[in-house]
Amino acid sequence: MEIHSPERGSSNPFSSRYLTGLPYFFPENEEKQGSSVERFLERFESDKRLGQIVGPHGTGKSTLLGLIDSRFRERDFTVQHVVLRDRQRRLPDEFLRQCRESRRKNVVLIVDGYEQLSFCSRLWLWYENRCWGSGLLLTSHRPVFGVPILFRTIPDFDVLRRVLEHLQGYEATTSLDRLRFLFDQHHGNLRTVLLDLYDDWEQK
């Protein structure tokens, strides 16, 4: 997940310098079923390079996308990746220009926040996918009709604990009850849980 925090305390393990680049942790039940980035890419290929990742805010969609992006590039795909913010109805001009310049079979378009787009922008992406053969990978909070669901991210308390164990400089000074309270308060949104933990650390 993408987390951006102020840098007031350089030793704060929840500062952006430590949170940027966190790996994606598949929930334990998904790992037991064989979920992995490689399995995801296999499904993407079998679904004619069209798919979506669906899940609530703060459950790791962007983090998973970043890992998949790097794997595409390792396989010599040209990747055009855009992250859309709230109410961003149009695709950025630079993204459109890059797409037009790279119209060939080994291109993958990644759109993080697809539900923000207007109907015309969505139609343009479908045109690129169907007419030019570009791969198309989306994230959305709700399923997009007609696009295969390749993976669903879900709130998972165990994933929060694994993220904390991975953070550089973090010691388990936050009680389990506090972690559970924040997790429930934010409905499993790990992004906002980590921001609250940043503030907890500063107050200490």
Side-chain angles (χ1 to χ4, degrees), residues 13-31:
F14 303 101
S15 299
S16 59
R17 68 167 69 182
Y18 302 122
L19 296 173
T20 300
L22 279 173
Y24 179 79
F25 295 97
F26 286 94
E28 184 177 352
N29 64 316
E30 294 287 349
E31 290 180 339

Side-chain angles (χ1 to χ4, degrees), residues 109-164:
L109 310 181
I110 297 180
V111 182
D112 191 356
Y114 175 82
E115 72 272 10
Q116 308 292 337
L117 292 175
S118 67
F119 174 77
C120 290
S121 292
R122 296 184 185 196
L123 192 63
W124 186 89
L125 286 171
W126 280 97
Y127 176 83
E128 290 291 301
N129 175 252
R130 296 304 182 188
C131 294
W132 291 96
S134 301
L136 181 57
L137 180 58
L138 318 170
T139 71
S140 180
H141 298 123
R142 294 175 295 277
V144 176
F145 177 76
V147 180
I149 298 175
L150 302 182
F151 194 77
R152 288 181 182 269
T153 60
I154 59 173
D156 189 291
F157 184 72
D158 180 63
V159 169
L160 171 62
R161 298 179 67 179
R162 291 164 68 189
V163 167
L164 296 180

Side-chain angles (χ1 to χ4, degrees), residues 45-159:
E45 289 288 342
S46 66
D47 284 319
K48 301 180 180 179
R49 296 183 181 175
L50 176 66
Q52 61 179 311
I53 301 171
V54 181
H57 287 286
T59 52
K61 296 187 299 298
S62 296
T63 302
L64 180 56
L65 267 190
L67 182 56
I68 292 167
D69 181 318
S70 65
R71 295 296 173 85
F72 278 136
R73 295 177 193 272
E74 289 172 2
R75 298 183 181 195
D76 294 326
F77 281 88
T78 298
V79 180
Q80 307 297 349
H81 189 156
V82 63
V83 180
L84 302 173
R85 305 304 177 188
D86 288 345
R87 300 180 182 179
Q88 190 171 345
R89 304 284 287 167
R90 297 178 65 253
L91 292 164
D93 292 339
E94 180 64 14
F95 176 80
L96 295 173
R97 183 189 65 78
Q98 291 173 348
C99 291
R100 294 189 183 103
E101 291 177 355
S102 59
R103 279 172 169 163
R104 44 199 171 90
K105 293 295 183 181
N106 63 334
V107 173
V108 178
L109 310 181
I110 297 180
V111 182
D112 191 356
Y114 175 82
E115 72 272 10
Q116 308 292 337
L117 292 175
S118 67
F119 174 77
C120 290
S121 292
R122 296 184 185 196
L123 192 63
W124 186 89
L125 286 171
W126 280 97
Y127 176 83
E128 290 291 301
N129 175 252
R130 296 304 182 188
C131 294
W132 291 96
S134 301
L136 181 57
L137 180 58
L138 318 170
T139 71
S140 180
H141 298 123
R142 294 175 295 277
V144 176
F145 177 76
V147 180
I149 298 175
L150 302 182
F151 194 77
R152 288 181 182 269
T153 60
I154 59 173
D156 189 291
F157 184 72
D158 180 63
V159 169

